[in-house]
Every structure is written in structure tokens, then in C-alpha cells.
CSV table of all heavy atoms in Angstrom, one decimal:
chain,number,residue,atom,x,y,z
A,1,VAL,N,7.2,-1.6,-10.4
A,1,VAL,CA,6.0,-2.3,-10.6
A,1,VAL,C,5.4,-2.8,-9.3
A,1,VAL,O,6.1,-3.5,-8.6
A,1,VAL,CB,6.2,-3.5,-11.6
A,1,VAL,CG1,4.8,-4.2,-11.9
A,1,VAL,CG2,6.8,-3.0,-12.9
A,2,VAL,N,4.2,-2.4,-9.0
A,2,VAL,CA,3.5,-2.9,-7.8
A,2,VAL,C,3.1,-4.4,-8.0
A,2,VAL,O,2.7,-4.8,-9.1
A,2,VAL,CB,2.2,-2.0,-7.6
A,2,VAL,CG1,1.4,-2.6,-6.4
A,2,VAL,CG2,2.6,-0.6,-7.3
A,3,LYS,N,3.3,-5.1,-7.0
A,3,LYS,CA,3.1,-6.6,-7.0
A,3,LYS,C,1.6,-6.8,-7.3
A,3,LYS,O,0.7,-6.2,-6.7
A,3,LYS,CB,3.5,-7.3,-5.8
A,3,LYS,CG,5.0,-7.2,-5.6
A,3,LYS,CD,5.5,-8.0,-4.3
A,3,LYS,CE,7.0,-8.0,-4.2
A,3,LYS,NZ,7.4,-8.7,-3.0
A,4,GLY,N,1.3,-7.8,-8.0
A,4,GLY,CA,-0.1,-8.2,-8.3
A,4,GLY,C,-0.8,-8.7,-7.0
A,4,GLY,O,-0.2,-9.5,-6.3
A,5,GLY,N,-2.0,-8.3,-6.8
A,5,GLY,CA,-2.8,-8.8,-5.6
A,5,GLY,C,-2.5,-8.1,-4.3
A,5,GLY,O,-3.1,-8.3,-3.3
A,6,ILE,N,-1.5,-7.1,-4.4
A,6,ILE,CA,-1.1,-6.5,-3.1
A,6,ILE,C,-2.2,-5.6,-2.6
A,6,ILE,O,-2.4,-5.4,-1.4
A,6,ILE,CB,0.2,-5.7,-3.3
A,6,ILE,CG1,0.9,-5.4,-1.9
A,6,ILE,CG2,0.0,-4.4,-4.1
A,6,ILE,CD1,1.6,-6.5,-1.3
A,7,ARG,N,-3.0,-5.0,-3.5
A,7,ARG,CA,-4.0,-4.1,-3.1
A,7,ARG,C,-5.1,-4.9,-2.3
A,7,ARG,O,-5.6,-4.4,-1.3
A,7,ARG,CB,-4.7,-3.4,-4.3
A,7,ARG,CG,-5.7,-2.3,-4.0
A,7,ARG,CD,-6.2,-1.7,-5.3
A,7,ARG,NE,-7.1,-0.5,-4.9
A,7,ARG,CZ,-6.6,0.7,-4.8
A,7,ARG,NH1,-5.4,1.0,-5.0
A,7,ARG,NH2,-7.4,1.7,-4.5
A,8,GLU,N,-5.4,-6.1,-2.8
A,8,GLU,CA,-6.4,-6.9,-2.1
A,8,GLU,C,-5.9,-7.3,-0.7
A,8,GLU,O,-6.7,-7.4,0.3
A,8,GLU,CB,-6.7,-8.2,-2.9
A,8,GLU,CG,-7.5,-7.9,-4.2
A,8,GLU,CD,-6.7,-7.3,-5.3
A,8,GLU,OE1,-5.4,-7.3,-5.2
A,8,GLU,OE2,-7.3,-6.7,-6.2
A,9,ARG,N,-4.6,-7.5,-0.6
A,9,ARG,CA,-4.0,-7.9,0.7
A,9,ARG,C,-4.1,-6.8,1.7
A,9,ARG,O,-4.4,-7.0,2.9
A,9,ARG,CB,-2.6,-8.4,0.5
A,9,ARG,CG,-2.4,-9.5,-0.4
A,9,ARG,CD,-1.0,-10.2,-0.3
A,9,ARG,NE,-1.1,-11.1,0.8
A,9,ARG,CZ,0.0,-11.8,1.2
A,9,ARG,NH1,1.2,-11.6,0.6
A,9,ARG,NH2,-0.1,-12.6,2.2
A,10,PHE,N,-3.9,-5.5,1.2
A,10,PHE,CA,-4.0,-4.4,2.1
A,10,PHE,C,-5.5,-4.2,2.5
A,10,PHE,O,-5.8,-3.7,3.6
A,10,PHE,CB,-3.4,-3.2,1.5
A,10,PHE,CG,-1.9,-3.2,1.4
A,10,PHE,CD1,-1.2,-2.8,0.3
A,10,PHE,CD2,-1.2,-3.6,2.5
A,10,PHE,CE1,0.2,-2.8,0.2
A,10,PHE,CE2,0.2,-3.6,2.5
A,10,PHE,CZ,0.9,-3.2,1.4
A,11,ALA,N,-6.4,-4.5,1.6
A,11,ALA,CA,-7.8,-4.4,1.9
A,11,ALA,C,-8.2,-5.4,3.0
A,11,ALA,O,-9.0,-5.1,3.9
A,11,ALA,CB,-8.6,-4.6,0.7
A,12,GLU,N,-7.5,-6.5,3.0
A,12,GLU,CA,-7.8,-7.5,4.0
A,12,GLU,C,-7.2,-7.1,5.3
A,12,GLU,O,-7.9,-7.2,6.4
A,12,GLU,CB,-7.1,-8.9,3.6
A,12,GLU,CG,-7.3,-10.0,4.6
A,12,GLU,CD,-6.6,-11.3,4.2
A,12,GLU,OE1,-6.1,-11.3,3.1
A,12,GLU,OE2,-6.5,-12.2,5.0
A,13,LEU,N,-6.1,-6.4,5.4
A,13,LEU,CA,-5.5,-5.9,6.6
A,13,LEU,C,-6.4,-4.8,7.1
A,13,LEU,O,-6.6,-4.6,8.3
A,13,LEU,CB,-4.1,-5.3,6.3
A,13,LEU,CG,-3.0,-6.3,6.2
A,13,LEU,CD1,-1.7,-5.7,5.7
A,13,LEU,CD2,-2.7,-7.0,7.5
A,14,ARG,N,-7.0,-4.0,6.2
A,14,ARG,CA,-7.9,-2.9,6.7
A,14,ARG,C,-9.1,-3.5,7.3
A,14,ARG,O,-9.6,-3.0,8.3
A,14,ARG,CB,-8.3,-2.1,5.4
A,14,ARG,CG,-8.9,-0.7,5.8
A,14,ARG,CD,-9.1,0.2,4.6
A,14,ARG,NE,-7.8,0.5,4.0
A,14,ARG,CZ,-7.4,0.0,2.8
A,14,ARG,NH1,-8.1,-0.8,2.1
A,14,ARG,NH2,-6.2,0.3,2.3
A,15,ARG,N,-9.6,-4.7,6.8
A,15,ARG,CA,-10.8,-5.3,7.5
A,15,ARG,C,-10.4,-5.9,8.8
A,15,ARG,O,-11.2,-6.0,9.7
A,15,ARG,CB,-11.3,-6.5,6.6
A,15,ARG,CG,-12.0,-6.0,5.3
A,15,ARG,CD,-12.7,-7.1,4.6
A,15,ARG,NE,-11.8,-8.2,4.1
A,15,ARG,CZ,-11.3,-8.2,2.9
A,15,ARG,NH1,-11.5,-7.2,2.1
A,15,ARG,NH2,-10.5,-9.2,2.6
A,16,MET,N,-9.1,-6.2,9.0
A,16,MET,CA,-8.6,-6.6,10.3
A,16,MET,C,-8.5,-5.4,11.3
A,16,MET,O,-8.3,-5.6,12.5
A,16,MET,CB,-7.2,-7.2,10.2
A,16,MET,CG,-7.1,-8.5,9.4
A,16,MET,SD,-5.4,-9.1,9.5
A,16,MET,CE,-5.4,-10.4,8.3
A,17,GLY,N,-8.7,-4.2,10.8
A,17,GLY,CA,-8.5,-3.0,11.6
A,17,GLY,C,-7.1,-2.6,11.7
A,17,GLY,O,-6.7,-1.8,12.7
A,18,ILE,N,-6.2,-2.9,10.8
A,18,ILE,CA,-4.8,-2.6,10.8
A,18,ILE,C,-4.5,-1.5,9.8
A,18,ILE,O,-4.9,-1.6,8.6
A,18,ILE,CB,-3.9,-3.8,10.5
A,18,ILE,CG1,-4.1,-4.9,11.6
A,18,ILE,CG2,-2.5,-3.4,10.4
A,18,ILE,CD1,-3.5,-6.2,11.3
A,19,ARG,N,-3.9,-0.4,10.2
A,19,ARG,CA,-3.5,0.7,9.4
A,19,ARG,C,-2.1,0.4,8.8
A,19,ARG,O,-1.2,0.0,9.5
A,19,ARG,CB,-3.4,2.0,10.2
A,19,ARG,CG,-3.0,3.2,9.4
A,19,ARG,CD,-3.1,4.4,10.3
A,19,ARG,NE,-2.5,5.6,9.7
A,19,ARG,CZ,-1.3,6.1,10.1
A,19,ARG,NH1,-0.6,5.4,11.1
A,19,ARG,NH2,-0.8,7.1,9.5
A,20,THR,N,-2.0,0.5,7.4
A,20,THR,CA,-0.8,0.2,6.7
A,20,THR,C,-0.1,1.5,6.3
A,20,THR,O,-0.7,2.4,5.8
A,20,THR,CB,-1.1,-0.6,5.5
A,20,THR,OG1,-2.1,0.0,4.7
A,20,THR,CG2,-1.5,-2.0,5.9
A,21,VAL,N,1.2,1.5,6.5
A,21,VAL,CA,2.0,2.7,6.2
A,21,VAL,C,3.2,2.3,5.3
A,21,VAL,O,4.0,1.4,5.7
A,21,VAL,CB,2.5,3.4,7.4
A,21,VAL,CG1,3.3,4.7,7.0
A,21,VAL,CG2,1.4,3.9,8.3
A,22,MET,N,3.3,2.8,4.1
A,22,MET,CA,4.4,2.5,3.2
A,22,MET,C,5.6,3.4,3.5
A,22,MET,O,5.4,4.6,3.6
A,22,MET,CB,4.0,2.6,1.8
A,22,MET,CG,5.1,2.3,0.8
A,22,MET,SD,4.6,2.7,-0.9
A,22,MET,CE,4.8,4.5,-0.9
A,23,ILE,N,6.8,2.8,3.7
A,23,ILE,CA,8.0,3.6,4.0
A,23,ILE,C,8.9,3.6,2.7
A,23,ILE,O,9.2,2.5,2.2
A,23,ILE,CB,8.7,3.1,5.2
A,23,ILE,CG1,7.8,3.1,6.4
A,23,ILE,CG2,10.0,3.9,5.4
A,23,ILE,CD1,8.4,2.6,7.7
A,24,THR,N,9.3,4.7,2.3
A,24,THR,CA,10.2,4.7,1.1
A,24,THR,C,11.1,5.9,1.1
A,24,THR,O,10.8,6.9,1.8
A,24,THR,CB,9.3,4.8,-0.2
A,24,THR,OG1,10.1,4.9,-1.3
A,24,THR,CG2,8.4,6.0,-0.2
A,25,GLY,N,12.2,5.8,0.4
A,25,GLY,CA,13.2,6.9,0.3
A,25,GLY,C,12.8,7.8,-0.9
A,25,GLY,O,13.5,8.7,-1.2
A,26,ASP,N,11.8,7.4,-1.7
A,26,ASP,CA,11.4,8.2,-2.9
A,26,ASP,C,10.9,9.5,-2.5
A,26,ASP,O,10.5,9.8,-1.3
A,26,ASP,CB,10.3,7.4,-3.6
A,26,ASP,CG,10.8,6.2,-4.4
A,26,ASP,OD1,12.0,6.1,-4.6
A,26,ASP,OD2,10.0,5.3,-4.7
A,27,ASN,N,10.8,10.4,-3.5
A,27,ASN,CA,10.2,11.7,-3.2
A,27,ASN,C,8.7,11.6,-3.0
A,27,ASN,O,8.1,10.6,-3.4
A,27,ASN,CB,10.5,12.7,-4.4
A,27,ASN,CG,9.9,12.2,-5.7
A,27,ASN,OD1,8.6,12.2,-5.8
A,27,ASN,ND2,10.7,11.7,-6.6
A,28,PRO,N,8.1,12.6,-2.4
A,28,PRO,CA,6.6,12.5,-2.1
A,28,PRO,C,5.7,12.2,-3.2
A,28,PRO,O,4.7,11.5,-3.1
A,28,PRO,CB,6.4,13.9,-1.4
A,28,PRO,CG,7.7,14.3,-0.9
A,28,PRO,CD,8.7,13.8,-1.8
A,29,LEU,N,6.0,12.8,-4.4
A,29,LEU,CA,5.2,12.6,-5.6
A,29,LEU,C,5.2,11.1,-6.0
A,29,LEU,O,4.1,10.5,-6.2
A,29,LEU,CB,5.6,13.5,-6.7
A,29,LEU,CG,5.3,14.9,-6.7
A,29,LEU,CD1,5.9,15.7,-7.9
A,29,LEU,CD2,3.8,15.1,-6.7
A,30,THR,N,6.4,10.5,-6.1
A,30,THR,CA,6.5,9.1,-6.4
A,30,THR,C,5.8,8.3,-5.4
A,30,THR,O,5.1,7.3,-5.7
A,30,THR,CB,7.9,8.7,-6.6
A,30,THR,OG1,8.5,9.5,-7.6
A,30,THR,CG2,8.1,7.3,-7.0
A,31,ALA,N,6.1,8.6,-4.1
A,31,ALA,CA,5.5,7.8,-3.0
A,31,ALA,C,4.0,7.8,-3.0
A,31,ALA,O,3.3,6.8,-2.8
A,31,ALA,CB,6.1,8.3,-1.7
A,32,ALA,N,3.4,9.0,-3.3
A,32,ALA,CA,2.0,9.2,-3.3
A,32,ALA,C,1.4,8.3,-4.4
A,32,ALA,O,0.3,7.7,-4.2
A,32,ALA,CB,1.6,10.6,-3.5
A,33,ALA,N,2.0,8.3,-5.6
A,33,ALA,CA,1.5,7.5,-6.7
A,33,ALA,C,1.5,6.0,-6.4
A,33,ALA,O,0.5,5.3,-6.7
A,33,ALA,CB,2.3,7.8,-8.0
A,34,ILE,N,2.6,5.5,-5.9
A,34,ILE,CA,2.7,4.1,-5.5
A,34,ILE,C,1.7,3.7,-4.4
A,34,ILE,O,1.1,2.7,-4.5
A,34,ILE,CB,4.2,3.8,-5.1
A,34,ILE,CG1,5.1,3.9,-6.3
A,34,ILE,CG2,4.2,2.3,-4.6
A,34,ILE,CD1,5.0,3.0,-7.4
A,35,ALA,N,1.6,4.6,-3.4
A,35,ALA,CA,0.7,4.4,-2.3
A,35,ALA,C,-0.7,4.2,-2.8
A,35,ALA,O,-1.5,3.4,-2.4
A,35,ALA,CB,0.8,5.5,-1.3
A,36,ALA,N,-1.1,5.1,-3.7
A,36,ALA,CA,-2.5,5.1,-4.3
A,36,ALA,C,-2.7,3.8,-5.1
A,36,ALA,O,-3.8,3.2,-5.0
A,36,ALA,CB,-2.7,6.3,-5.1
A,37,GLU,N,-1.7,3.4,-5.9
A,37,GLU,CA,-1.9,2.2,-6.7
A,37,GLU,C,-1.9,1.0,-5.8
A,37,GLU,O,-2.7,0.0,-6.1
A,37,GLU,CB,-0.7,2.1,-7.7
A,37,GLU,CG,-0.9,0.9,-8.6
A,37,GLU,CD,0.3,0.9,-9.6
A,37,GLU,OE1,1.1,1.8,-9.7
A,37,GLU,OE2,0.4,-0.1,-10.4
């Protein structure tokens, strides 16, 4: 389960000019779905 409000926090980082990269041991399909959410 993705944490509540995390999408807004990443949007705030984007406004700061910071690129966010999620690191995971999951397979690419699972990683892509979580990253999008």
C-alpha cells in the first residue's frame, strides 16, 4: 500500500527542481505500477 499523501510530497519535490527515483527489488512491472501510483 502506497502511503497517503506521498504523491503530493513528490509533487512538492518536483517544484523544488528535484528528480525522484524509486529503488526496489521488485520486478519491473510491479515497480512501474507503484511508481505511477
Side-chain angles (χ1 to χ4, degrees):
V1 181
V2 173
K3 292 181 178 179
I6 199 76
R7 189 179 186 88
E8 290 73 21
R9 303 196 82 185
F10 287 136
E12 182 181 351
L13 285 168
R14 197 171 296 110
R15 289 193 296 271
M16 294 181 188
I18 297 172
R19 176 173 171 260
T20 53
V21 180
M22 181 186 78
I23 300 176
T24 177
D26 288 340
N27 64 70
L29 284 175
T30 301
I34 295 291
E37 185 178 352

